[in-house]
Structure formats: structure tokens, C-alpha cells
Amino acid sequence: MSGRLPIAAGQDGGFWQQIFDFDNYGELLALVQNSLLAGALLGLVGGLVGVFVIMRDLPFAVHGISELSFAGGAAALLAGVNIVAGSIVGSLVAAAVIGILGVRARDRNSVIGIIMPFGLGLGVLFLSLYKGRAANKFGILTGQIVAVDTPQLAWLVGTSAVALIALAVVWRPLTFSSADPEVAEARGVPVRALSLSFMLVLGLAVALCVQIVGALLVLALLVTPAAAAARITASPVLLPVLSVVFALASMEGGTLLALGSTVPISPYVTTLSFLIYLGCRLVGSRRAAKATRVPFLAGPRTTARVSEPSSPGSTR
């Protein structure tokens, strides 16, 4: 669903006016307080979970889980029950299947490749059977901004709390097992149990993101901010902090920009997230280039042989 009410016939503005139109912006801003709070929750959860998505090389899994989340949400829409609950169920089922069957990377990718079309097919089937408003169908795929009501926000808050608490409990051992799984397993860390636990947390995070940015574009919150942060820092403390900051900037900025337009929220969130990534990649490339130039320039001075003064009576 877009941020503004539909424009009446004959009053359609130009291209840029449809994308950026801030008439009566203050009045519209009062309608999205729930969406701004939901966006803050998504930025926090997505930024933290995204760190491990990058460390464990799971972007493909995010996309696979989102398809089952889409199917669950579409089934809930067709049945007339809570869409958030349906998305959560679909995400958790997909995450559990990937976590159990996809222990090795090769097996995991195969499982995801099987789950993705199955979930997408189910979602399309359920939406085709749904005879309600077309905007509800479109919102599951591309996100919505003004439709976050109080009951939905309560679901989002509760799910975010569960995901954050679970992530806090397993943060240290999960970081260890993500960085070096062989050494972690040798030291008694339950690597397989942690992997399954994180997949379930990832499922919750995907279900949250689907509610706002849609099933097709969850990577913009669960992958891009963390990937951008990883381009400029490797600090275990600064990396999650920057990832959360980038996710919040993309989510909240996209929400505020989408409010003054007739298009869904997802293009704004994804564009901001992509621009942040490009900026971080540029900074990281410049740092890498400078780091390679400095040893090269300093090399002749540091490696040159310094002649020692000859002592009295010594022969040269």
C-alpha cells in the first residue's frame, strides 16, 4: 500500500510528483506513527541478524524463507486470520527445514532451491483464490506503510522481543561458531544446535520484514546494511552497531519518503540501503588502496641497508 490516498481521476501528477509529493505532509505523518515504530524495530532486528547472515553466508536462505513467509501470509489473508501470525508460521517452517536438512552448504542451497518455488507457488495460489482488496495482495509482496494498525504492531513488538532475547542469549557462542565452526566444535560449542537456533531467529526476522518491505525485498534489511558495515569495519563491536544504524536509516528514511508519494515503501527502502552500501564500498576501496600504497612508498626507506660506522682498526 502506498503512503498517500489514491489520486482522483484527472488529478494525476507528473512522474516526480508521484514519487516525491509533500503536500499536507504533516497531516499524513500523524497516520504512520505505528509504521515508524515498526520500522525502528525492523531496523534493530534486521541490523543485528544481518551480521550473522553475512558471517554465515546465508543471503540465499533469507530469500528462501521469505517465500514461505509470503505463502503463510497469503494463506492467512485467504483464511481471514492474522497475517503476521501466518507469515511467522511460514517463516519458522522454512527456517526449521533449512536448518535441519541443510547442515552443509551444498545441501542447504539445494533445500533452499526446492523451498523457494514451492513457497512462491503456494503464495500465488492463495492470492489468486483471495477475492478481497487488491491492495492487500500487493502489500504482501511489496510492503505497506499506513496499514500497520495497533494489533499488528503488538504482534511485531512481541516477535521482535523474542528474536532479540534469543539473539542475546546465543550471541557469543554464535559469533565463535560463525567465525570458525571447526575450532568452535572442537572446543565443545554446540555448533549444530546453534545453527538451527539462529535459523529460527532468522525466520522471525524475515517474518517481521515481510510485513513492511514485502516478501520480495527483505534482503534490503537483512543483508545490505550488514554487508555495507562489513566494507568499512571488521570490529566485532562496531560492525553490529553500524549495521543497525544503516538499517534504521534505510527503514525510517524510506518510510518518511514513501509517505509523500503514490508508490509503495519498498523502492525507497531498497534505494537508500543500496546507496549506503555504495558509499561504504567506496570508503572501503579507498582505505584498501591507501593501505597498499603506504607500504610501497615506505618500502625503500625501511628496507634499505644502513651502513655501520667502521670501528678503529677494523678493515673494510
Side-chain angles (χ1 to χ4, degrees), residues 120-167:
L120 185 60
L122 281 181
V124 171
L125 171 64
F126 295 145
L127 288 188
S128 64
L129 296 175
Y130 177 69
K131 304 303 181 183
R133 297 176 58 208
N136 293 335
K137 301 180 182 181
F138 197 56
I140 296 178
L141 289 171
T142 60
Q144 51 193 351
I145 180 173
V146 298
V148 181
D149 53 18
T150 301
Q152 187 178 15
L153 181 62
W155 272 93
L156 293 174
V157 171
T159 307
S160 299
V162 172
L164 291 174
I165 292 173
L167 202 58

Side-chain angles (χ1 to χ4, degrees), residues 15-262:
F15 174 77
W16 290 111
Q17 187 176 0
Q18 294 182 52
I19 298 178
F20 301 107
D21 183 7
F22 298 102
D23 294 338
N24 303 320
Y25 191 80
E27 299 177 6
L28 295 172
L29 190 60
L31 301 176
V32 293
Q33 293 181 358
N34 285 346
S35 296
L36 290 174
L37 180 55
L41 291 173
L42 294 188
L44 179 60
V45 175
L48 293 176
V49 172
V51 172
F52 295 103
V53 171
I54 295 299
M55 292 180 65
R56 303 174 74 89
D57 193 21
L58 292 174
F60 193 38
V62 173
H63 196 37
I65 294 173
S66 71
E67 302 295 354
L68 261 294
S69 181
F70 160 62
L77 184 65
L78 178 63
V81 298
N82 191 285
I83 296 178
V84 180
S87 295
I88 292 174
V89 171
S91 292
L92 291 179
V93 169
V97 171
I98 295 173
I100 294 172
L101 301 181
V103 177
R104 295 181 299 177
R106 180 182 302 178
D107 296 336
R108 182 171 63 238
N109 290 336
S110 298
V111 171
I112 296 170
I114 294 170
I115 285 178
M116 282 179 58
F118 174 68
L120 185 60
L122 281 181
V124 171
L125 171 64
F126 295 145
L127 288 188
S128 64
L129 296 175
Y130 177 69
K131 304 303 181 183
R133 297 176 58 208
N136 293 335
K137 301 180 182 181
F138 197 56
I140 296 178
L141 289 171
T142 60
Q144 51 193 351
I145 180 173
V146 298
V148 181
D149 53 18
T150 301
Q152 187 178 15
L153 181 62
W155 272 93
L156 293 174
V157 171
T159 307
S160 299
V162 172
L164 291 174
I165 292 173
L167 202 58
V169 171
V170 301
W171 185 276
R172 292 188 58 149
L174 184 62
T175 302
F176 187 16
S177 65
S178 300
D180 198 334
E182 289 80 11
V183 175
E185 188 171 16
R187 294 193 176 184
V189 177
V191 174
R192 185 166 298 187
L194 283 173
S195 179
L196 179 58
S197 299
F198 175 70
M199 290 303 301
L200 294 177
V201 173
L202 179 59
L204 291 177
V206 170
L208 289 172
C209 295
V210 165
Q211 305 308 311
I212 303 297
V213 298
L216 299 180
L217 300 169
V218 295
L219 296 175
L221 282 180
L222 289 174
V223 175
T224 310
R231 300 296 303 186
I232 58 177
T233 183
S235 168
V237 175
L238 193 57
L239 179 60
V241 171
L242 286 179
S243 179
V244 170
V245 169
F246 294 157
L248 286 173
S250 301
M251 192 65 238
E252 299 297 284
T255 302
L256 294 175
L257 288 174
L259 183 60
S261 72
T262 59

